[in-house]
Amino acid sequence: METTPAVPATGGPRPDIHTRQDTSTNHAHRLHLYGALDRVCVPLAAADVQAVFKLAELDCVTVHAVIDWLDAARTLEPCPLAHPR
């Protein structure tokens, strides 16, 4: 049985490998965040889109926590205002 020769060691992983992976992960996070915002009927302003892009760069646990908060907000009664306007 022949074996595949070992790949020579380099200084580390190629930078383009992780860039594509991170971009793909960020894109998936953005789609999930947009979906969660859409479910709670939040219209997005330009600043909101920028916030979604920044949130999408965070780790999976954090992004899913934000999505869970948005989903939970759909089922909660509105909070009474502490200081009425």
Side-chain angles (χ1 to χ4, degrees):
M1 175 195 294
E2 290 186 34
T3 60
T4 305
V7 177
T10 61
R14 291 187 352 235
D16 62 326
I17 291 174
H18 293 293
T19 303
R20 272 184 265 140
Q21 179 183 0
D22 290 346
T23 301
S24 175
T25 301
N26 292 351
H27 180 71
H29 286 172
R30 283 193 303 273
L31 291 177
H32 289 296
L33 288 161
Y34 286 136
L37 290 165
D38 190 48
R39 287 190 297 276
V40 293
C41 300
V42 174
L44 297 178
D48 298 328
V49 173
Q50 289 176 339
V52 168
F53 269 75
K54 287 295 187 184
L55 284 169
E57 294 173 3
L58 299 173
D59 61 281
C60 290
V61 172
T62 305
V63 170
H64 286 286
V66 171
I67 291 168
D68 289 344
W69 295 339
L70 290 167
D71 287 337
R74 290 186 313 156
T75 62
L76 297 175
E77 293 285 328
C79 294
L81 295 175
H83 302 286
R85 294 180 188 176

